[in-house]
Amino acid sequence: NVAENGLEFVAGGGGGGGVDGVGVKMASDHSVANNAHVTVYFDTIMGETFSPSAFDTGTYKFTAPADGVYFISGKVVWESIDSGKLADCGIFKNGGYGVGTQVYYTIMKSGLNGAYVAPMFQTFLELVAGDTIEISTRQLSGLTKTLSGSRGTSLNIIKIG
């Protein structure tokens, strides 16, 4: 078992009754220009049972260690987005924005001035060993804004089959 900060994965998805997974977060805040697509800076592993590690905190990418179905969920949090302005998030396979295949997309509109906007995502993906997954986001406020690590930007990937 790997338990840290409330996350627990029980290793042994290959018939041992458990699942293999990884939970990561963005540890610090980052300033991002308007309409700039950025790969989310997931730089801290909270818990993982893939061996060897399937998440690279230097490139912010997950690499599927085996063929199978993976459940992917998480959120990105933007600070101080004014009413009517947008933030979005996409899951990309085998490359980031403009390179890889976008396999999931979500967008959220702020309803209040100065609000936190947190596009959330969850999906099942069939991956083959070596496929990579990365999360890209942008905000469309017209100004540079903060992508917040301190407000819970996070990603979980679990191999379920």
Side-chain angles (χ1 to χ4, degrees), residues 48-55 65:
E48 180 172 22
T49 58
F50 292 114
S51 181
S53 180
F55 197 89

Side-chain angles (χ1 to χ4, degrees), residues 2 19 38 67 73 86-87 95 116 133 153:
V2 177
V19 296
V38 295
D67 296 359
S73 65
L86 305 171
Y116 291 99
I133 294 295
T153 294

Side-chain angles (χ1 to χ4, degrees), residues 13-138:
V19 296
D20 285 322
V22 61
V24 296
K25 70 174 186 173
M26 194 176 86
S28 58
D29 297 348
H30 293 272
S31 292
V32 179
N34 180 63
N35 200 27
H37 289 269
V38 295
T39 297
V40 181
Y41 311 96
F42 293 118
D43 56 4
T44 303
I45 295 176
M46 301 299 293
E48 180 172 22
T49 58
F50 292 114
S51 181
S53 180
F55 197 89
D56 185 330
T57 56
T59 63
Y60 318 117
K61 294 179 188 176
F62 171 81
T63 301
D67 296 359
V69 176
Y70 292 79
F71 178 68
I72 301 170
S73 65
K75 67 178 178 178
V76 296
V77 182
W78 288 96
E79 294 183 7
S80 301
I81 304 294
D82 287 337
S83 182
K85 303 299 182 181
L86 305 171
D88 65 12
C89 178
I91 300 173
F92 289 84
K93 179 176 161 182
N94 296 327
Y97 176 80
V99 176
T101 302
Q102 183 170 307
V103 294
Y104 186 90
Y105 177 78
T106 185
I107 190 166
M108 193 168 187
K109 184 177 190 178
S110 178
L112 299 169
N113 284 334
Y116 291 99
V117 175
M120 296 182 197
F121 52 91
Q122 63 181 17
T123 192
F124 295 95
L125 287 179
E126 193 167 333
L127 302 175
V128 298
D131 280 347
T132 62
I133 294 295
E134 58 189 278
I135 310 303
S136 179
T137 188
R138 69 179 170 159

